[in-house]
Amino acid sequence: MKILVAVKRVVDYAVKIRVKPDKTGVDTQNVKMSMNPFCEIALEEALRIKEAGFAKEVVAVSIGPSQCVDTLRTGLAMGADRGIHVETNTSFLPLTIAKILKSLAEVENPGLIFLGKQAIDDDCNQTGQMVAALLGWPQATFASKVVLDKDKHIATVDREVDGGLETLCVDLPAVITTDLRLNQPRYASLPNIMKAKSKPIKKMTVQDLKVDVKSDIEILEVTEPPKRKSGVMVSSVDELIEKLRNEAHVV
Amino acid sequence: MHRFLVKLSSSSNQFRSFKNHRLLLPLLPSSKPFTSSPSVSSSPPRHSNRSWYPYSVELFRKISPLSSNSRTLGVNGRGISSEAGRESIEYDVLIVGAGPAGLSAAMRLKQLSQEKNVDLSVCVVEKGAEVGGHIISGNVFEPVALDELLPHWRQEHTPIKIPASSDKFWFLTKDRAISLPSPFDNKGNYVISLSQLVRWLGGKAEELGTEIYPGFSASEVLYDASDKVVGIATKDMGISKDGSKKENFQPGVDIKGRVTLFAEGCRGSLSERIIKKYKLREEVNAQHQTYALGIKEVWEIDESKHNPGEVVHTLGWPLDRKTYGGSFLYHMNDRQVALGLVVALNYHNPFLNPYEEFQKLKHHPAIKRILEGGTVLQYGARTLNEGGFQSIPYPVFPGGAIIGCSAGFLNVPKIKGTHTAMKSGMLAAEAAFGVLHEGINMNTYWDNLKDSWVWKELYAARNYRPAFEYGLLPGLAVSAMEHYILKGKVPFTLKHGKADHEATNLARKCTPIEYPKPDGVLSFDVPTSLYRSNTNHDHDQPSHLRLRDPKIPEKVNFPEYAAPESRYCPARVYEYVEDEEGKPKLQINAQNCLHCKACDIKDPKQNIEWTVPEGGGGPAYSLV
């Protein structure tokens, strides 16, 4: 079985970002970028499944500008067998990404597609679900535990939902998106980083995959959230009630 | 590819055991009694008789058949051997640190290999997650070394774009800025972000074939049976705070080089161990190194106030007459200005807080009017060398050499160290190439340093800083004399005062300093600033800041010196909190660390040892 893992190159989680002065987006120039933490978890799970003998190959795929190759190399250094880079300079929204992944899945025929539950730059939490719907495959999102049954071709997945944990059984091929507590991703060791240099990364374009990338969403403006105003200290209950009534108008 | 696959005559096993036992082996007979040279000498200075040194013999190694250890051929036929779960990778030259010195050395080596049609494998390990991520400096860049390294750099697309257009020098009092004739002449120099320049240099080095591995911290030096340095071991990753292995435990790797160059920057952790071990300062009767702490912010200011290329230096307020230091304000591109305060670490008052002094500085009317309406983009801090000529150790040891600020080539009156660091890297590379290819001695690096403009420059600049031991005004007087008349051509060399950690007075003899609260617009609290440095470390790892004696903070630092580490650390790593009995206890927030090394330098009892954390942690500088 082949596992396809989608990884996204995002602003590193520890970096302080700021909005561009023209309000078209976040300033990503001269900013440290890394693999999305949830994508790392997805890749780690795929590698563990391969190491357990349930899969033969783990393919990492990334969609974006030329620097995505660095993200793919990290994935290869962690243990993926080969990479696919769909090169584009446009920043695509989840539906377009899902369409691209659908086309890739039709070419590669994986038994499982792993994604992070969401990317930390847009927090959309949509791509995995959309890929499953486009392909007509079952989906298990927010996975905190994945157990495969090779003979029955099913995966038993514990999902983290608002009410607690939900266990689902999905037929393969399926789409699984990973949540934080699924595993702790491995470090890429130096010898593996060296070996990863010779693993293949295939370059493709959206035209190769015959995907319509016209977006039906246009970002109008990006602004910083309003600054929190500092609180006011009150000296008595009466003053509190007075402020709630006359200033905040909530009483 | 033609490889110099040097197989050391003993199996890798021996390195393992000898690494653990190296402290029991006697030092090489190389550490002979120092050649005594008086501090007042009439001829250029410190040299030592090294011609007898058996170093060159070590290099003619016996190539023996492959050991019995499992040995696979990795990429490009490079020997990767593994035993007991630890892998070992060999290179011709290993460079620790991807800064200006390290990358210049790597590039020079690759240039020489191409010229002489020889194949040399060069590896650079870097503890930052990215090349340039741990680089911070003023920086007004003097391109003399870059002109030698890459003569056609001006035709390329580089981050060196803004020529210095003016040199202003202000003496600050609390309310005024008095313009003085500038002691600096930055014509021909450029205002840059060194982090950006190093990133660019990293790209050039890789183009030439250097292998650069960011995200790996060198935590141990590896020695062979004859106590010669053979490489470094990277730090194990995935160890939890209590010392146990986490599920993603990854053992470190031994990286070996026939020549190892240490380019860790000021107060490099492994370089300091090497200098102590081989007594490299005593070798040439060098003085101790002295340091300063630089704290910097990059601001994006109003277009109308921005004047690209303007270079401003100040002296005086907020520092007092007994504390050496000053500030800088450089206008870069894109409406950015670099603003910083440098405080010499031999200050006397343990209540001094360099970070808070920097916050005060920003409220000075002359500085405030430039910053008003702007936003801070990035923050950072790093120590720098102030010892200059008097403190340069003998930079060669069995197995390699020390280059850049780890040895200490910063020109203090110019406050520039990048060009000399790069040149030292290039000279060491030329010597290393000679060692590997022609069998010469690594001492050639030292000889070539002494023949180069680095030596002349540092010799001429040697008396500026020590003159300030006598106070601000005498210091300024000597500086003026040196600058206009003497230019270093005096028959004496002034000595440094006490070592920085010894210069701190007892708290009871000093007055506490009250610092104003930050206003959130010009001045900020430490957590806000720290956020702007993008610093982070994996929380669940043992603290990389080691206390040699865990009782000293509560027994000495707190009662006698009022906990200076809680004041000089620009990242608030050190805090005293009350324990269950209400007594103060030191809490180390290692996760905040900016890797500046101030604690390693200034701790009164030298109790704090800065060691490397897991690779990839630390600040993520890009604009500083």
Side-chain angles (χ1 to χ4, degrees):
Chain A
M1 177 175 71
K2 197 189 296 185
I3 305 182
L4 195 65
V5 183
V7 297
K8 187 176 182 187
R9 177 176 178 264
V10 297
V11 176
D12 185 84
Y13 75 92
V15 161
K16 176 184 183 293
I17 51 159
R18 60 175 198 136
V19 177
K20 283 198 274 212
D22 59 6
K23 296 200 183 152
T24 54
V26 161
D27 187 13
T28 53
Q29 251 203 345
N30 296 325
V31 146
K32 179 172 164 216
M33 309 286 274
S34 319
M35 191 190 289
N36 182 36
F38 295 108
C39 299
E40 281 183 354
I41 295 173
L43 182 55
E44 173 64 24
E45 195 60 25
L47 293 171
R48 289 187 188 190
I49 291 176
K50 179 181 131 185
E51 282 160 8
F54 292 118
K56 276 214 303 288
E57 197 187 19
V58 173
V59 183
V61 60
S62 193
I63 300 159
S66 54
Q67 297 93 324
C68 284
V69 173
D70 298 330
T71 316
L72 283 171
R73 287 276 168 223
T74 310
L76 294 173
M78 280 170 72
D81 298 293
R82 59 186 167 88
I84 300 175
H85 176 211
V86 181
E87 187 152 6
T88 167
N89 282 321
T90 334
S91 177
F92 289 138
L93 292 172
L95 183 56
T96 314
I97 301 285
K99 290 181 189 169
I100 295 172
L101 289 174
K102 166 181 181 262
S103 286
L104 270 172
E106 285 163 355
V107 170
E108 294 281 337
N109 284 314
L112 266 176
I113 301 184
F114 269 99
L115 300 96
K117 71 173 179 179
Q118 66 198 57
I120 61 170
D121 53 3
D122 55 22
D123 276 346
C124 280
N125 191 344
Q126 297 166 8
T127 312
Q129 293 87 332
M130 288 177 172
V131 174
L134 289 171
L135 285 168
W137 289 8
Q139 59 180 269
T141 54
F142 313 111
S144 67
K145 185 154 145 213
V146 175
V147 177
L148 285 186
D149 187 331
K150 201 170 184 182
D151 305 313
K152 296 199 217 133
H153 284 290
I154 58 171
T156 311
V157 180
D158 284 1
R159 302 178 59 224
E160 292 200 22
V161 294
D162 289 343
L165 287 177
E166 181 190 59
T167 309
L168 281 188
C169 230
V170 286
D171 292 331
L172 302 183
V175 173
I176 301 182
T177 73
T178 60
D179 207 328
L180 200 60
R181 273 162 281 268
L182 177 57
N183 60 46
Q184 203 171 50
R186 65 193 62 186
Y187 292 106
S189 73
L190 193 48
N192 284 344
I193 292 179
M194 294 175 175
K195 288 183 206 141
K197 287 194 215 172
S198 49
K199 290 187 187 174
I201 293 184
K202 182 163 154 204
K203 279 215 195 293
M204 303 181 86
T205 62
V206 287
Q207 289 87 346
D208 293 339
L209 294 166
K210 301 191 188 48
V211 173
D212 174 21
V213 297
K214 192 165 95 56
S215 173
D216 28 19
I217 297 179
E218 183 195 331
I219 296 178
L220 296 176
E221 189 187 60
V222 176
T223 55
E224 272 188 36
K227 288 227 173 338
R228 258 188 72 178
K229 288 209 278 274
S230 57
V232 176
M233 297 289 275
V234 293
S235 50
S236 69
V237 176
D238 291 327
E239 197 187 334
L240 175 64
I241 296 175
E242 194 261 323
K243 279 200 188 294
L244 288 173
R245 174 170 295 155
N246 298 328
E247 286 183 28
H249 303 288
V250 292
V251 175
Chain B
M1 214 167 32
H2 177 209
R3 292 234 129 272
F4 280 122
L5 233 197
V6 177
K7 181 64 188 71
L8 295 152
S9 53
S10 44
S11 72
S12 325
N13 247 330
Q14 214 160 344
F15 294 121
R16 199 79 241 124
S17 55
F18 274 102
K19 181 183 142 186
N20 293 329
H21 293 138
R22 64 183 178 272
L23 294 171
L24 302 178
L25 294 174
L27 277 181
L28 272 177
S30 54
S31 50
K32 60 185 253 181
F34 357 121
T35 53
S36 59
S37 52
S39 56
V40 178
S41 60
S42 52
S43 56
R46 312 154 32 227
H47 55 273
S48 65
N49 298 329
R50 308 292 297 176
S51 48
W52 58 272
Y53 198 71
Y55 181 64
S56 56
V57 173
E58 305 294 326
L59 266 302
F60 290 108
R61 238 193 277 301
K62 295 189 261 303
I63 312 269
S64 72
L66 295 175
S67 74
S68 54
N69 275 338
S70 64
R71 193 176 174 80
T72 52
L73 286 181
V75 180
N76 298 327
R78 173 156 316 112
I80 301 183
S81 68
S82 55
E83 39 84 21
R86 260 193 105 80
E87 298 203 40
S88 159
I89 313 171
E90 289 169 12
Y91 288 90
D92 293 312
V93 181
L94 166 65
I95 300 173
V96 182
L103 293 174
S104 300
M107 283 196 270
R108 194 77 197 102
L109 277 164
K110 282 293 182 181
Q111 285 171 346
L112 286 167
S113 319
Q114 278 177 8
E115 269 172 49
K116 308 272 165 92
N117 221 346
V118 145
D119 190 20
L120 276 187
S121 57
V122 179
C123 171
V124 180
V125 285
E126 161 62 39
K127 64 172 163 56
E130 295 184 326
V131 170
H134 286 189
I135 300 288
I136 170 172
S137 170
N139 182 300
V140 180
F141 179 63
E142 191 177 314
V144 53
L146 187 59
D147 285 331
E148 288 180 28
L149 182 66
L150 298 170
H152 304 291
W153 68 264
R154 287 166 215 268
Q155 277 103 321
E156 297 190 43
H157 200 56
T158 70
I160 308 172
K161 294 200 192 82
I162 308 285
S165 58
S166 59
D167 259 311
K168 297 197 181 144
F169 189 57
W170 300 338
F171 186 86
L172 298 182
T173 63
K174 190 159 183 301
D175 308 295
R176 300 175 56 207
I178 305 163
S179 244
L180 292 178
S182 172
F184 301 100
D185 179 13
N186 281 307
K187 222 181 9 248
N189 297 340
Y190 296 83
V191 179
I192 61 164
S193 153
L194 191 59
S195 175
Q196 289 294 312
L197 177 61
V198 166
R199 281 161 198 267
W200 180 78
L201 287 173
K204 299 299 287 179
E206 281 189 317
E207 272 174 34
L208 288 170
T210 314
E211 292 180 43
I212 306 182
Y213 296 109
F216 290 94
S217 49
S219 66
E220 300 276 336
V221 182
L222 299 174
Y223 301 88
D224 71 3
S226 58
D227 226 22
K228 172 175 174 298
V229 171
V230 293
I232 57 101
T234 65
K235 195 177 170 89
D236 293 341
M237 314 256 277
I239 298 197
S240 110
K241 246 195 184 338
D242 61 13
S244 60
K245 297 183 187 169
K246 297 193 284 200
E247 65 172 332
N248 59 355
F249 171 74
Q250 189 77 247
V253 152
D254 292 349
I255 312 184
K256 306 221 183 95
R258 293 165 65 199
V259 175
T260 307
L261 298 177
F262 287 90
E264 298 171 292
C266 175
R267 197 81 171 189
S269 44
L270 295 184
S271 307
E272 288 297 307
R273 288 188 204 169
I274 298 260
I275 292 174
K276 275 200 199 69
K277 179 186 172 71
Y278 295 105
K279 297 192 172 31
L280 296 179
R281 289 226 151 80
E282 288 87 333
E283 255 326 310
V284 286
N285 234 2
Q287 281 208 278
H288 53 270
Q289 184 63 265
T290 67
Y291 304 90
L293 174 63
I295 304 181
K296 177 181 172 181
E297 283 176 352
V298 172
W299 283 70
E300 187 182 66
I301 58 171
D302 234 16
E303 186 70 51
S304 55
K305 302 182 184 164
H306 190 238
N307 187 7
E310 183 171 306
V311 170
V312 181
H313 290 104
T314 80
L315 217 54
W317 193 86
L319 300 174
D320 63 29
R321 289 215 211 122
K322 293 207 230 96
T323 308
Y324 181 80
S327 80
F328 60 88
L329 204 164
Y330 306 144
H331 292 241
M332 304 196 288
N333 52 327
D334 294 341
R335 291 197 290 138
Q336 290 173 11
V337 294
L339 168 70
L341 178 69
V342 177
V343 181
L345 283 177
N346 66 345
Y347 63 80
H348 305 300
N349 189 342
F351 294 101
L352 185 76
N353 186 324
Y355 174 85
E356 294 294 346
E357 298 289 340
F358 178 50
Q359 303 310 311
K360 262 167 59 177
L361 171 82
K362 289 187 276 176
H363 285 278
H364 187 282
I367 309 281
K368 182 170 165 178
R369 68 159 180 266
I370 300 176
L371 300 180
E372 262 173 342
T375 42
V376 184
L377 298 180
Q378 213 161 81
Y379 163 82
R382 184 74 170 91
T383 51
L384 45 123
N385 300 310
E386 290 210 326
F389 186 81
Q390 292 87 325
S391 305
I392 302 175
Y394 185 69
V396 179
F397 53 83
I402 306 178
I403 59 179
C405 284
S406 289
F409 300 111
L410 191 140
N411 181 329
V412 183
K414 265 197 201 173
I415 26 168
K416 287 179 175 47
T418 318
H419 61 311
T420 47
M422 289 175 72
K423 181 66 176 172
S424 72
M426 290 155 66
L427 291 171
E430 285 159 12
F433 186 82
V435 161
L436 295 172
H437 188 56
E438 294 144 23
I440 64 170
N441 209 305
M442 195 67 196
N443 306 352
T444 317
Y445 166 46
W446 178 241
D447 298 331
N448 291 346
L449 255 178
K450 286 190 287 167
D451 285 335
S452 72
W453 50 261
V454 172
W455 202 257
K456 281 194 204 55
E457 192 177 309
L458 294 179
Y459 183 71
R462 72 195 186 288
N463 283 330
Y464 282 83
R465 174 71 181 89
F468 285 86
E469 281 308 299
Y470 303 98
L472 179 63
L473 293 175
L476 284 173
V478 171
S479 294
M481 266 205 310
E482 283 277 350
H483 182 69
Y484 292 108
I485 309 168
L486 302 169
K487 301 192 206 296
K489 295 192 187 74
V490 290
F492 55 85
T493 299
L494 295 176
K495 291 184 90 161
H496 298 313
K498 290 194 196 148
D500 294 341
H501 65 275
E502 289 168 359
T504 323
N505 284 337
L506 294 170
R508 64 167 187 275
K509 295 195 184 148
C510 301
T511 22
I513 309 178
E514 271 289 322
Y515 288 104
K517 283 221 168 336
D519 71 348
V521 176
L522 286 170
S523 49
F524 309 94
D525 60 6
V526 176
T528 310
S529 293
L530 214 45
Y531 179 43
R532 295 176 178 138
S533 68
N534 302 323
T535 195
N536 194 34
H537 297 86
D538 189 284
H539 174 67
D540 193 12
Q541 65 174 299
S543 166
H544 62 279
L545 301 153
R546 310 256 177 86
L547 298 174
R548 292 187 167 105
D549 178 350
K551 296 205 232 36
I552 290 201
E554 285 87 17
K555 271 204 335 229
V556 177
N557 288 40
F558 191 85
E560 294 187 26
Y561 297 97
E565 62 274 20
S566 64
R567 295 176 217 274
Y568 60 64
C569 174
R572 193 151 305 156
V573 167
Y574 301 97
E575 277 186 313
Y576 281 81
V577 291
E578 279 188 18
D579 65 8
E580 308 87 45
E581 293 154 32
K583 289 213 290 278
K585 187 166 155 51
L586 176 63
Q587 173 180 286
I588 300 181
N589 308 316
Q591 205 172 2
N592 291 1
C593 182
L594 288 173
H595 297 211
C596 77
K597 321 292 173 45
C599 52
D600 194 282
I601 295 166
K602 189 62 174 169
D603 187 57
K605 295 291 170 205
Q606 293 286 268
N607 192 33
I608 303 177
E609 189 190 359
W610 193 94
T611 65
V612 288
E614 272 183 15
Y621 297 139
S622 56
L623 302 171
V624 286

